[in-house]
Amino acid sequence: EVHLVESGGGLVQAGESLRLSCAASGFTFDDYVIGWFRQAPGKEREGVSCIRNNIRSTAYADSVKGRFTISSDNAKNTVYLQMNSLKPEDTAVYYCAAVLRYRIDGSTWHLSGLYNYWGQGTQVTVSS
């Protein structure tokens, strides 16, 4: 059974950092792309970043480029999202999700409907 468990959310001030973790189990890690998404109240879920685990290629939304870094530890089946220089507009529930790597590419990674498995989410709140 596939499980994705996020952790690391919290309340921080603008300019501070957080690191989110997504612990995965129940599937072959290298066969999947892991994406981070976020959803703020009243807004649609948006793709933040993703990593293709077999080759460690990454992608980012324009809104987080240069501030967020995605990485993976394949030995631990865990993906991290290091978030620096946080802004109030980064406030959202952050989710990790997984999809077989052949099902998405560089132009579709941000489409949440393509992902098969989702974690429960972790709240990130950035105060001004």
Side-chain angles (χ1 to χ4, degrees), residues 95-117:
Y95 301 89
C96 66
V99 61
L100 282 166
R101 54 186 170 92
Y102 66 82
R103 293 193 63 191
I104 63 170
D105 58 29
S107 65
T108 60
W109 71 267
H110 62 288
L111 300 177
S112 60
L114 296 180
Y115 288 73
N116 304 104
Y117 306 106

Side-chain angles (χ1 to χ4, degrees), residues 2 10 17 25 38 84 121 128:
V2 174
S17 299
S25 62
R38 65 186 182 186
N84 298 330
S128 57

Side-chain angles (χ1 to χ4, degrees), residues 44-93:
E44 293 188 356
R45 191 168 296 189
E46 64 168 337
V48 174
S49 182
C50 79
I51 187 166
R52 191 174 289 268
N53 288 318
N54 63 323
I55 57 174
R56 307 286 181 97
S57 67
T58 60
Y60 296 91
D62 287 343
S63 58
V64 306
K65 279 181 182 176
R67 300 189 298 122
F68 291 10
T69 303
I70 192 169
S71 62
S72 66
D73 184 336
N74 286 23
K76 295 182 178 181
N77 281 13
T78 299
V79 172
Y80 304 98
L81 186 68
Q82 178 66 43
M83 306 186 296
N84 298 330
S85 302
L86 282 161
K87 304 175 180 180
E89 51 264 43
D90 294 318
T91 295
V93 178

